[in-house]
Amino acid sequence: MSRAVVLGGGLAGMLAAAALARAVDEVTVVERDQLPTEPQPRKGLPQGHHSHILMRGGVEALDQLLPGVTDRLYAAGAKRRGLPSGALARGPEGWMQRLDTDAYLLLCSRELLDHVVREQVLRDPRIGVREGARVTGLVGDADRVTGVRVEQGGAERTLDAELVVDATGRATSAPKWLVDLGLPQVREDVVDAGIVYVSRWFTAPPGTRDDFPGVMIQMQAGTGRPGQGAGLLPMENGRWILSLFGSRGGEPPTDEEGFAQFARERHHPIIADLIAQARPAGPIRAYRSIPDQRRRFEKLPVPEGFLVIGDAAQALNPVHGTGMSVAAQCALALRTELDVRGLRPGFSRNVQAAIAKINQGAWQIAVNTDQGLPHVRANVPLRGGAFANKMAARVARTGCGNRMVINTVFNVASLCAPMTRMMTPAFLWAVLRGPRTPALTAEQAIAQFPEFGDLVKVDAAPRSTASPA
């Protein structure tokens, strides 16, 4: 009987298990926590208290792996919001016109997403979970991994497997496990802008419309000042989550007064005015030490029978919102390779290379922004500079009102198109010409969204959102 073992029962691990179940007789998920039976936070997921989004590229991968799962998420209260048509958005260079694009977000709490995904994955009788189990090492040698050692209930045992997939997240011990088998230390790339996330849940005020758009204010890089931003997003069960974020030297505070003031100072007081009408539904929580980090397992002579996926391979700071979407796309790549090749020699290296290729796109998007923030620390060359910052600013300014430019930018950011899409003659010409319409004021931008209802009062009428093709 063929068996695969997945280390970690979070989103990446469950999606990997779903991908594997079609190719082996049995999949065992090894999880250190006791997994909740309802949508609830869990100890091993400290970032679960903060805002989470699935980009369009991740939503589509998720539905290919688990057909119908997004319908279940929407039925449970998840929201779909277009970019930027479905949310009041301020980019790095100004307020955006309400333009329809191909990009969108799926918004819900991490606990709801994990619960719905886990419930559907575990319906497959080929997939089981060992909870409260700690992985102590791999079994095998530098050429092939044949299983994993697991400690559970004070006893250690070996789980044999044709394939072991590590999905244990940022704190993975895979580098040490591989060294113990005789492999070299994996190369680790780090770009650390010192981003700090501070979040709080709220109960939305009475009268909030179900199509409440939320507010997204992006960081601005390349100014010599810390990047700061905020996102107030609608979630299930009549709740909002507000996440404030800032880079090194501009971290958001965690006290009540400082939290509200930081929100008020983000270009317009709309977020502070909105949360003043809401009821806090939890404490203010901070999330720190979240650099852009990737481990280059694809550059090792990866042993047959072993893979690393999800945050264990690459974890980006959450401002970019790509982590879960990348995990879904990597799990889909795993399934595709299984369908094409099966567990034949070379399988692990092929899949690890495919994962690295997917990770590269998200890495470049994140690093292009983070390298422009002050006091960034990195162990890899940064290819930014004044020219790159000026071009990024021009793209952002042009995209505020140009449908073609912003559609391209958001499709790349949503992991639906490669970055080369931003190098086409049409895109570059539009950026070189620059903005063709005056920038929106905050009041004009807000007035585009009647979905705010009586929660927001604005006097300015929205101007035309027509833009050149």
PDB file of all heavy atoms in Angstrom, residues 2-39:
ATOM      1  N   SER A   2       0.629   2.190  -0.896  1.00  0.00           N
ATOM      2  CA  SER A   2       1.430   3.410  -0.981  1.00  0.00           C
ATOM      3  C   SER A   2       0.929   4.430   0.025  1.00  0.00           C
ATOM      4  O   SER A   2      -0.272   4.551   0.293  1.00  0.00           O
ATOM      5  CB  SER A   2       1.371   3.990  -2.390  1.00  0.00           C
ATOM      6  OG  SER A   2       0.046   4.296  -2.763  1.00  0.00           O
ATOM      7  N   ARG A   3       1.889   5.195   0.605  1.00  0.00           N
ATOM      8  CA  ARG A   3       1.532   6.158   1.653  1.00  0.00           C
ATOM      9  C   ARG A   3       2.343   7.438   1.465  1.00  0.00           C
ATOM     10  O   ARG A   3       3.522   7.399   1.107  1.00  0.00           O
ATOM     11  CB  ARG A   3       1.816   5.581   3.035  1.00  0.00           C
ATOM     12  CG  ARG A   3       1.587   6.600   4.172  1.00  0.00           C
ATOM     13  CD  ARG A   3       2.044   6.050   5.506  1.00  0.00           C
ATOM     14  NE  ARG A   3       1.188   4.987   5.971  1.00  0.00           N
ATOM     15  CZ  ARG A   3       1.564   4.051   6.842  1.00  0.00           C
ATOM     16  NH1 ARG A   3       2.807   4.045   7.310  1.00  0.00           N
ATOM     17  NH2 ARG A   3       0.721   3.137   7.241  1.00  0.00           N
ATOM     18  N   ALA A   4       1.695   8.563   1.733  1.00  0.00           N
ATOM     19  CA  ALA A   4       2.372   9.858   1.812  1.00  0.00           C
ATOM     20  C   ALA A   4       2.111  10.434   3.193  1.00  0.00           C
ATOM     21  O   ALA A   4       1.058  10.192   3.802  1.00  0.00           O
ATOM     22  CB  ALA A   4       1.862  10.811   0.740  1.00  0.00           C
ATOM     23  N   VAL A   5       3.084  11.166   3.709  1.00  0.00           N
ATOM     24  CA  VAL A   5       2.947  11.837   5.002  1.00  0.00           C
ATOM     25  C   VAL A   5       3.124  13.337   4.777  1.00  0.00           C
ATOM     26  O   VAL A   5       4.100  13.760   4.139  1.00  0.00           O
ATOM     27  CB  VAL A   5       3.977  11.319   6.021  1.00  0.00           C
ATOM     28  CG1 VAL A   5       3.904  12.135   7.309  1.00  0.00           C
ATOM     29  CG2 VAL A   5       3.732   9.850   6.321  1.00  0.00           C
ATOM     30  N   VAL A   6       2.189  14.118   5.288  1.00  0.00           N
ATOM     31  CA  VAL A   6       2.260  15.574   5.213  1.00  0.00           C
ATOM     32  C   VAL A   6       2.505  16.112   6.616  1.00  0.00           C
ATOM     33  O   VAL A   6       1.766  15.774   7.551  1.00  0.00           O
ATOM     34  CB  VAL A   6       0.961  16.175   4.638  1.00  0.00           C
ATOM     35  CG1 VAL A   6       1.023  17.697   4.646  1.00  0.00           C
ATOM     36  CG2 VAL A   6       0.712  15.664   3.228  1.00  0.00           C
ATOM     37  N   LEU A   7       3.529  16.925   6.763  1.00  0.00           N
ATOM     38  CA  LEU A   7       3.873  17.500   8.064  1.00  0.00           C
ATOM     39  C   LEU A   7       3.252  18.883   8.168  1.00  0.00           C
ATOM     40  O   LEU A   7       3.639  19.806   7.462  1.00  0.00           O
ATOM     41  CB  LEU A   7       5.397  17.580   8.204  1.00  0.00           C
ATOM     42  CG  LEU A   7       6.165  16.302   7.839  1.00  0.00           C
ATOM     43  CD1 LEU A   7       7.663  16.514   8.019  1.00  0.00           C
ATOM     44  CD2 LEU A   7       5.662  15.116   8.645  1.00  0.00           C
ATOM     45  N   GLY A   8       2.260  19.026   9.043  1.00  0.00           N
ATOM     46  CA  GLY A   8       1.575  20.294   9.224  1.00  0.00           C
ATOM     47  C   GLY A   8       0.152  20.236   8.701  1.00  0.00           C
ATOM     48  O   GLY A   8      -0.075  19.884   7.542  1.00  0.00           O
ATOM     49  N   GLY A   9      -0.801  20.594   9.570  1.00  0.00           N
ATOM     50  CA  GLY A   9      -2.214  20.519   9.204  1.00  0.00           C
ATOM     51  C   GLY A   9      -2.844  21.858   8.940  1.00  0.00           C
ATOM     52  O   GLY A   9      -4.069  21.989   9.024  1.00  0.00           O
ATOM     53  N   GLY A  10      -2.029  22.871   8.613  1.00  0.00           N
ATOM     54  CA  GLY A  10      -2.578  24.165   8.226  1.00  0.00           C
ATOM     55  C   GLY A  10      -3.071  24.137   6.795  1.00  0.00           C
ATOM     56  O   GLY A  10      -3.256  23.076   6.186  1.00  0.00           O
ATOM     57  N   LEU A  11      -3.278  25.327   6.226  1.00  0.00           N
ATOM     58  CA  LEU A  11      -3.832  25.402   4.880  1.00  0.00           C
ATOM     59  C   LEU A  11      -2.925  24.713   3.862  1.00  0.00           C
ATOM     60  O   LEU A  11      -3.392  23.895   3.062  1.00  0.00           O
ATOM     61  CB  LEU A  11      -4.047  26.867   4.491  1.00  0.00           C
ATOM     62  CG  LEU A  11      -4.683  27.081   3.114  1.00  0.00           C
ATOM     63  CD1 LEU A  11      -6.129  26.616   3.123  1.00  0.00           C
ATOM     64  CD2 LEU A  11      -4.584  28.536   2.685  1.00  0.00           C
ATOM     65  N   ALA A  12      -1.627  25.022   3.889  1.00  0.00           N
ATOM     66  CA  ALA A  12      -0.714  24.412   2.917  1.00  0.00           C
ATOM     67  C   ALA A  12      -0.693  22.899   3.057  1.00  0.00           C
ATOM     68  O   ALA A  12      -0.672  22.163   2.060  1.00  0.00           O
ATOM     69  CB  ALA A  12       0.697  24.985   3.091  1.00  0.00           C
ATOM     70  N   GLY A  13      -0.689  22.404   4.307  1.00  0.00           N
ATOM     71  CA  GLY A  13      -0.664  20.969   4.524  1.00  0.00           C
ATOM     72  C   GLY A  13      -1.920  20.277   4.049  1.00  0.00           C
ATOM     73  O   GLY A  13      -1.858  19.210   3.420  1.00  0.00           O
ATOM     74  N   MET A  14      -3.084  20.861   4.334  1.00  0.00           N
ATOM     75  CA  MET A  14      -4.338  20.249   3.900  1.00  0.00           C
ATOM     76  C   MET A  14      -4.455  20.240   2.380  1.00  0.00           C
ATOM     77  O   MET A  14      -4.918  19.256   1.783  1.00  0.00           O
ATOM     78  CB  MET A  14      -5.525  20.987   4.523  1.00  0.00           C
ATOM     79  CG  MET A  14      -5.725  20.679   5.997  1.00  0.00           C
ATOM     80  SD  MET A  14      -6.169  18.940   6.251  1.00  0.00           S
ATOM     81  CE  MET A  14      -5.903  18.758   8.016  1.00  0.00           C
ATOM     82  N   LEU A  15      -4.018  21.313   1.736  1.00  0.00           N
ATOM     83  CA  LEU A  15      -4.091  21.349   0.275  1.00  0.00           C
ATOM     84  C   LEU A  15      -3.107  20.354  -0.337  1.00  0.00           C
ATOM     85  O   LEU A  15      -3.402  19.724  -1.359  1.00  0.00           O
ATOM     86  CB  LEU A  15      -3.821  22.763  -0.230  1.00  0.00           C
ATOM     87  CG  LEU A  15      -4.872  23.810   0.170  1.00  0.00           C
ATOM     88  CD1 LEU A  15      -4.524  25.164  -0.413  1.00  0.00           C
ATOM     89  CD2 LEU A  15      -6.274  23.381  -0.267  1.00  0.00           C
ATOM     90  N   ALA A  16      -1.937  20.214   0.277  1.00  0.00           N
ATOM     91  CA  ALA A  16      -0.996  19.195  -0.192  1.00  0.00           C
ATOM     92  C   ALA A  16      -1.593  17.798  -0.042  1.00  0.00           C
ATOM     93  O   ALA A  16      -1.444  16.944  -0.928  1.00  0.00           O
ATOM     94  CB  ALA A  16       0.320  19.304   0.568  1.00  0.00           C
ATOM     95  N   ALA A  17      -2.272  17.545   1.068  1.00  0.00           N
ATOM     96  CA  ALA A  17      -2.910  16.240   1.278  1.00  0.00           C
ATOM     97  C   ALA A  17      -3.960  15.975   0.206  1.00  0.00           C
ATOM     98  O   ALA A  17      -4.065  14.857  -0.327  1.00  0.00           O
ATOM     99  CB  ALA A  17      -3.530  16.181   2.677  1.00  0.00           C
ATOM    100  N   ALA A  18      -4.746  16.999  -0.116  1.00  0.00           N
ATOM    101  CA  ALA A  18      -5.759  16.839  -1.161  1.00  0.00           C
ATOM    102  C   ALA A  18      -5.110  16.525  -2.506  1.00  0.00           C
ATOM    103  O   ALA A  18      -5.611  15.698  -3.276  1.00  0.00           O
ATOM    104  CB  ALA A  18      -6.600  18.112  -1.261  1.00  0.00           C
ATOM    105  N   ALA A  19      -3.983  17.175  -2.791  1.00  0.00           N
ATOM    106  CA  ALA A  19      -3.285  16.929  -4.044  1.00  0.00           C
ATOM    107  C   ALA A  19      -2.745  15.502  -4.114  1.00  0.00           C
ATOM    108  O   ALA A  19      -2.742  14.872  -5.179  1.00  0.00           O
ATOM    109  CB  ALA A  19      -2.146  17.935  -4.205  1.00  0.00           C
ATOM    110  N   LEU A  20      -2.294  14.969  -2.984  1.00  0.00           N
ATOM    111  CA  LEU A  20      -1.666  13.650  -2.944  1.00  0.00           C
ATOM    112  C   LEU A  20      -2.669  12.500  -2.969  1.00  0.00           C
ATOM    113  O   LEU A  20      -2.341  11.394  -3.408  1.00  0.00           O
ATOM    114  CB  LEU A  20      -0.811  13.533  -1.680  1.00  0.00           C
ATOM    115  CG  LEU A  20       0.456  14.374  -1.636  1.00  0.00           C
ATOM    116  CD1 LEU A  20       0.981  14.476  -0.211  1.00  0.00           C
ATOM    117  CD2 LEU A  20       1.517  13.771  -2.552  1.00  0.00           C
ATOM    118  N   ALA A  21      -3.879  12.767  -2.497  1.00  0.00           N
ATOM    119  CA  ALA A  21      -4.829  11.674  -2.269  1.00  0.00           C
ATOM    120  C   ALA A  21      -5.194  10.928  -3.547  1.00  0.00           C
ATOM    121  O   ALA A  21      -5.569   9.753  -3.496  1.00  0.00           O
ATOM    122  CB  ALA A  21      -6.086  12.211  -1.586  1.00  0.00           C
ATOM    123  N   ARG A  22      -5.069  11.589  -4.692  1.00  0.00           N
ATOM    124  CA  ARG A  22      -5.418  10.913  -5.947  1.00  0.00           C
ATOM    125  C   ARG A  22      -4.331   9.949  -6.408  1.00  0.00           C
ATOM    126  O   ARG A  22      -4.561   9.140  -7.299  1.00  0.00           O
ATOM    127  CB  ARG A  22      -5.655  11.947  -7.053  1.00  0.00           C
ATOM    128  CG  ARG A  22      -6.765  12.924  -6.735  1.00  0.00           C
ATOM    129  CD  ARG A  22      -7.326  13.625  -7.937  1.00  0.00           C
ATOM    130  NE  ARG A  22      -6.346  14.106  -8.901  1.00  0.00           N
ATOM    131  CZ  ARG A  22      -6.674  14.828  -9.971  1.00  0.00           C
ATOM    132  NH1 ARG A  22      -7.944  15.129 -10.175  1.00  0.00           N
ATOM    133  NH2 ARG A  22      -5.754  15.244 -10.821  1.00  0.00           N
ATOM    134  N   ALA A  23      -3.123  10.065  -5.803  1.00  0.00           N
ATOM    135  CA  ALA A  23      -1.984   9.299  -6.320  1.00  0.00           C
ATOM    136  C   ALA A  23      -1.512   8.192  -5.393  1.00  0.00           C
ATOM    137  O   ALA A  23      -0.724   7.343  -5.815  1.00  0.00           O
ATOM    138  CB  ALA A  23      -0.824  10.247  -6.613  1.00  0.00           C
ATOM    139  N   VAL A  24      -1.940   8.206  -4.111  1.00  0.00           N
ATOM    140  CA  VAL A  24      -1.500   7.191  -3.164  1.00  0.00           C
ATOM    141  C   VAL A  24      -2.702   6.602  -2.453  1.00  0.00           C
ATOM    142  O   VAL A  24      -3.808   7.151  -2.496  1.00  0.00           O
ATOM    143  CB  VAL A  24      -0.505   7.775  -2.133  1.00  0.00           C
ATOM    144  CG1 VAL A  24       0.749   8.292  -2.817  1.00  0.00           C
ATOM    145  CG2 VAL A  24      -1.150   8.887  -1.308  1.00  0.00           C
ATOM    146  N   ASP A  25      -2.476   5.504  -1.779  1.00  0.00           N
ATOM    147  CA  ASP A  25      -3.581   4.831  -1.086  1.00  0.00           C
ATOM    148  C   ASP A  25      -3.944   5.503   0.230  1.00  0.00           C
ATOM    149  O   ASP A  25      -5.091   5.431   0.673  1.00  0.00           O
ATOM    150  CB  ASP A  25      -3.201   3.368  -0.814  1.00  0.00           C
ATOM    151  CG  ASP A  25      -2.958   2.587  -2.089  1.00  0.00           C
ATOM    152  OD1 ASP A  25      -3.771   2.721  -3.022  1.00  0.00           O
ATOM    153  OD2 ASP A  25      -1.939   1.865  -2.159  1.00  0.00           O
ATOM    154  N   GLU A  26      -2.947   6.132   0.864  1.00  0.00           N
ATOM    155  CA  GLU A  26      -3.184   6.691   2.191  1.00  0.00           C
ATOM    156  C   GLU A  26      -2.319   7.933   2.388  1.00  0.00           C
ATOM    157  O   GLU A  26      -1.136   7.938   2.064  1.00  0.00           O
ATOM    158  CB  GLU A  26      -2.841   5.649   3.259  1.00  0.00           C
ATOM    159  CG  GLU A  26      -3.022   6.110   4.686  1.00  0.00           C
ATOM    160  CD  GLU A  26      -2.625   5.024   5.666  1.00  0.00           C
ATOM    161  OE1 GLU A  26      -3.256   3.945   5.645  1.00  0.00           O
ATOM    162  OE2 GLU A  26      -1.662   5.246   6.441  1.00  0.00           O
ATOM    163  N   VAL A  27      -2.930   8.991   2.923  1.00  0.00           N
ATOM    164  CA  VAL A  27      -2.207  10.216   3.271  1.00  0.00           C
ATOM    165  C   VAL A  27      -2.399  10.461   4.766  1.00  0.00           C
ATOM    166  O   VAL A  27      -3.544  10.511   5.252  1.00  0.00           O
ATOM    167  CB  VAL A  27      -2.722  11.438   2.487  1.00  0.00           C
ATOM    168  CG1 VAL A  27      -1.922  12.692   2.874  1.00  0.00           C
ATOM    169  CG2 VAL A  27      -2.644  11.203   0.988  1.00  0.00           C
ATOM    170  N   THR A  28      -1.293  10.595   5.490  1.00  0.00           N
ATOM    171  CA  THR A  28      -1.354  10.903   6.917  1.00  0.00           C
ATOM    172  C   THR A  28      -0.829  12.311   7.139  1.00  0.00           C
ATOM    173  O   THR A  28       0.300  12.626   6.763  1.00  0.00           O
ATOM    174  CB  THR A  28      -0.507   9.914   7.740  1.00  0.00           C
ATOM    175  OG1 THR A  28      -1.003   8.590   7.520  1.00  0.00           O
ATOM    176  CG2 THR A  28      -0.576  10.247   9.224  1.00  0.00           C
ATOM    177  N   VAL A  29      -1.650  13.156   7.747  1.00  0.00           N
ATOM    178  CA  VAL A  29      -1.253  14.517   8.108  1.00  0.00           C
ATOM    179  C   VAL A  29      -0.819  14.502   9.565  1.00  0.00           C
ATOM    180  O   VAL A  29      -1.577  14.063  10.446  1.00  0.00           O
ATOM    181  CB  VAL A  29      -2.406  15.510   7.904  1.00  0.00           C
ATOM    182  CG1 VAL A  29      -1.987  16.922   8.333  1.00  0.00           C
ATOM    183  CG2 VAL A  29      -2.871  15.516   6.453  1.00  0.00           C
ATOM    184  N   VAL A  30       0.396  14.942   9.826  1.00  0.00           N
ATOM    185  CA  VAL A  30       0.931  14.990  11.180  1.00  0.00           C
ATOM    186  C   VAL A  30       0.857  16.429  11.673  1.00  0.00           C
ATOM    187  O   VAL A  30       1.459  17.330  11.085  1.00  0.00           O
ATOM    188  CB  VAL A  30       2.393  14.486  11.222  1.00  0.00           C
ATOM    189  CG1 VAL A  30       2.941  14.584  12.637  1.00  0.00           C
ATOM    190  CG2 VAL A  30       2.468  13.053  10.702  1.00  0.00           C
ATOM    191  N   GLU A  31       0.109  16.668  12.746  1.00  0.00           N
ATOM    192  CA  GLU A  31      -0.129  18.027  13.237  1.00  0.00           C
ATOM    193  C   GLU A  31       0.149  18.118  14.733  1.00  0.00           C
ATOM    194  O   GLU A  31      -0.316  17.282  15.507  1.00  0.00           O
ATOM    195  CB  GLU A  31      -1.572  18.438  12.947  1.00  0.00           C
ATOM    196  CG  GLU A  31      -2.038  19.728  13.591  1.00  0.00           C
ATOM    197  CD  GLU A  31      -1.124  20.907  13.297  1.00  0.00           C
ATOM    198  OE1 GLU A  31      -0.762  21.119  12.120  1.00  0.00           O
ATOM    199  OE2 GLU A  31      -0.776  21.625  14.262  1.00  0.00           O
ATOM    200  N   ARG A  32       0.906  19.140  15.116  1.00  0.00           N
ATOM    201  CA  ARG A  32       1.283  19.315  16.519  1.00  0.00           C
ATOM    202  C   ARG A  32       0.097  19.734  17.378  1.00  0.00           C
ATOM    203  O   ARG A  32      -0.027  19.356  18.535  1.00  0.00           O
ATOM    204  CB  ARG A  32       2.396  20.359  16.606  1.00  0.00           C
ATOM    205  CG  ARG A  32       3.073  20.426  17.951  1.00  0.00           C
ATOM    206  CD  ARG A  32       4.364  21.203  17.862  1.00  0.00           C
ATOM    207  NE  ARG A  32       5.124  21.136  19.086  1.00  0.00           N
ATOM    208  CZ  ARG A  32       6.408  21.440  19.183  1.00  0.00           C
ATOM    209  NH1 ARG A  32       7.073  21.831  18.109  1.00  0.00           N
ATOM    210  NH2 ARG A  32       7.047  21.350  20.335  1.00  0.00           N
ATOM    211  N   ASP A  33      -0.801  20.550  16.826  1.00  0.00           N
ATOM    212  CA  ASP A  33      -1.977  21.033  17.560  1.00  0.00           C
ATOM    213  C   ASP A  33      -3.074  19.975  17.617  1.00  0.00           C
ATOM    214  O   ASP A  33      -3.053  18.993  16.862  1.00  0.00           O
ATOM    215  CB  ASP A  33      -2.562  22.264  16.866  1.00  0.00           C
ATOM    216  CG  ASP A  33      -1.836  23.544  17.221  1.00  0.00           C
ATOM    217  OD1 ASP A  33      -0.967  23.519  18.105  1.00  0.00           O
ATOM    218  OD2 ASP A  33      -2.130  24.569  16.587  1.00  0.00           O
ATOM    219  N   GLN A  34      -4.057  20.268  18.469  1.00  0.00           N
ATOM    220  CA  GLN A  34      -5.345  19.606  18.376  1.00  0.00           C
ATOM    221  C   GLN A  34      -6.205  20.499  17.494  1.00  0.00           C
ATOM    222  O   GLN A  34      -6.462  21.653  17.815  1.00  0.00           O
ATOM    223  CB  GLN A  34      -5.988  19.439  19.763  1.00  0.00           C
ATOM    224  CG  GLN A  34      -5.242  18.502  20.696  1.00  0.00           C
ATOM    225  CD  GLN A  34      -5.286  17.061  20.239  1.00  0.00           C
ATOM    226  OE1 GLN A  34      -6.266  16.608  19.656  1.00  0.00           O
ATOM    227  NE2 GLN A  34      -4.211  16.321  20.493  1.00  0.00           N
ATOM    228  N   LEU A  35      -6.633  19.977  16.364  1.00  0.00           N
ATOM    229  CA  LEU A  35      -7.355  20.810  15.403  1.00  0.00           C
ATOM    230  C   LEU A  35      -8.786  21.038  15.873  1.00  0.00           C
ATOM    231  O   LEU A  35      -9.468  20.098  16.278  1.00  0.00           O
ATOM    232  CB  LEU A  35      -7.350  20.142  14.031  1.00  0.00           C
ATOM    233  CG  LEU A  35      -5.963  20.010  13.387  1.00  0.00           C
ATOM    234  CD1 LEU A  35      -6.058  19.175  12.115  1.00  0.00           C
ATOM    235  CD2 LEU A  35      -5.371  21.374  13.092  1.00  0.00           C
ATOM    236  N   PRO A  36      -9.269  22.285  15.797  1.00  0.00           N
ATOM    237  CA  PRO A  36     -10.639  22.562  16.246  1.00  0.00           C
ATOM    238  C   PRO A  36     -11.663  21.953  15.294  1.00  0.00           C
ATOM    239  O   PRO A  36     -11.398  21.769  14.103  1.00  0.00           O
ATOM    240  CB  PRO A  36     -10.706  24.100  16.215  1.00  0.00           C
ATOM    241  CG  PRO A  36      -9.654  24.523  15.260  1.00  0.00           C
ATOM    242  CD  PRO A  36      -8.562  23.505  15.352  1.00  0.00           C
ATOM    243  N   THR A  37     -12.818  21.630  15.832  1.00  0.00           N
ATOM    244  CA  THR A  37     -13.890  21.069  15.013  1.00  0.00           C
ATOM    245  C   THR A  37     -14.833  22.139  14.492  1.00  0.00           C
ATOM    246  O   THR A  37     -15.730  21.850  13.705  1.00  0.00           O
ATOM    247  CB  THR A  37     -14.699  20.037  15.828  1.00  0.00           C
ATOM    248  OG1 THR A  37     -15.214  20.682  17.003  1.00  0.00           O
ATOM    249  CG2 THR A  37     -13.814  18.863  16.227  1.00  0.00           C
ATOM    250  N   GLU A  38     -14.651  23.377  14.941  1.00  0.00           N
ATOM    251  CA  GLU A  38     -15.425  24.518  14.482  1.00  0.00           C
ATOM    252  C   GLU A  38     -14.452  25.604  14.026  1.00  0.00           C
ATOM    253  O   GLU A  38     -13.250  25.513  14.292  1.00  0.00           O
ATOM    254  CB  GLU A  38     -16.327  25.047  15.617  1.00  0.00           C
ATOM    255  CG  GLU A  38     -17.350  24.054  16.123  1.00  0.00           C
ATOM    256  CD  GLU A  38     -18.390  23.704  15.068  1.00  0.00           C
ATOM    257  OE1 GLU A  38     -18.659  24.562  14.212  1.00  0.00           O
ATOM    258  OE2 GLU A  38     -18.919  22.584  15.110  1.00  0.00           O
ATOM    259  N   PRO A  39     -14.947  26.654  13.363  1.00  0.00           N
ATOM    260  CA  PRO A  39     -14.050  27.750  12.976  1.00  0.00           C
ATOM    261  C   PRO A  39     -13.545  28.510  14.204  1.00  0.00           C
ATOM    262  O   PRO A  39     -14.209  29.405  14.727  1.00  0.00           O
ATOM    263  CB  PRO A  39     -14.935  28.647  12.092  1.00  0.00           C
ATOM    264  CG  PRO A  39     -16.071  27.797  11.662  1.00  0.00           C
ATOM    265  CD  PRO A  39     -16.306  26.843  12.798  1.00  0.00           C
TER     266      PRO A  39
END
